[in-house]
Amino acid sequence: MQTTTLSFSNLHNHGELFANLFRARKQSFIIQKNWDLPEADDMEFDQYDTPQSRWIAIHDKGEVMAGIRLTPTTARCGIYSYMIRDAQKGILGGSIPQDLLFGEAPVDEHTWECSRVFVSHSIPQMYRRKVHFKMVEAMTGSARELGATRLIALTGANWPRWYGRCGLDAEAIGRQMWIDDGDFQCVSIDLSGKMH
């Protein structure tokens, strides 16, 4: 199992991996979860997949097992910044409640947003925890290399159960809310200390 952090400037070094990540996202979000998202050429994408973001692929022999997108909270592209902030500002048309945060969405060069997190449905249950640990390791490592001291994410409301197991120091920064297919909550992950 390998982890690769992809960017627009290095994706040419990784063959089909970038496209395969977007294909795996389509499988996870559009086919499995039935979310209404843009797609083309069998790939899922949105307005935050710009050269400002980074994508982490957990893969083995060409198969993408899991993925994560990291976007700086300083990102700008037309009217968009990053998903949590744009939801708070009402730009996303109500698919995510505007009152998702207790305070103002941060715009800070050391805070990155983590989104489009998935584990392939084809990963057997017995391997999922191993894949989760690999994802956390890759996410925190890549974010730190990008200069982040904090990550924010809109994540499943069951996060306290497995974040602690994975050694993440996190706290809720918004209320629990039902979106599409489950309970979600915004969290802040502190990267400034050492891993537990």
Side-chain angles (χ1 to χ4, degrees), residues 68 70 114 117 132-144 149-153 155 158-172 187-196:
I68 299 164
L70 299 176
C114 175
V117 178
H132 279 141
F133 278 110
K134 200 74 166 160
M135 289 170 76
V136 168
E137 185 182 86
M139 175 186 77
T140 54
S142 286
R144 284 187 175 114
T149 55
R150 179 166 82 127
L151 286 171
I152 60 171
T155 190
N158 63 346
W159 65 269
R161 206 168 60 224
W162 71 274
Y163 274 39
R165 263 191 236 144
C166 294
L168 289 175
D169 182 10
E171 63 175 345
V187 298
S188 172
I189 302 164
D190 181 11
L191 300 177
S192 59
K194 63 184 191 313
M195 295 297 284
H196 301 311

Side-chain angles (χ1 to χ4, degrees), residues 18-81:
F18 193 64
N20 287 343
L21 177 67
F22 283 70
R23 289 180 187 115
R25 273 177 37 176
K26 178 186 174 183
Q27 179 65 39
S28 184
F29 296 114
I30 295 176
I31 295 171
Q32 297 294 316
K33 294 186 179 226
N34 203 26
W35 289 5
D36 182 18
L37 298 169
E39 62 173 298
D41 294 337
D42 208 29
M43 294 180 252
E44 180 272 315
F45 65 94
D46 69 15
Q47 62 271 34
Y48 306 110
D49 293 307
T50 74
Q52 297 169 97
S53 290
R54 299 293 181 269
W55 301 265
I56 299 167
I58 316 308
H59 56 104
D60 191 38
K61 299 178 186 73
E63 182 198 354
V64 174
M65 304 165 81
I68 299 164
R69 177 177 62 201
L70 299 176
T71 304
T73 58
T74 54
R76 298 293 301 173
C77 185
I79 63 166
Y80 300 106
S81 57

Side-chain angles (χ1 to χ4, degrees), residues 169-181:
D169 182 10
E171 63 175 345
I173 55 171
R175 68 178 180 89
Q176 282 195 31
M177 61 209 147
W178 182 267
I179 303 171
D180 288 326
D181 60 353

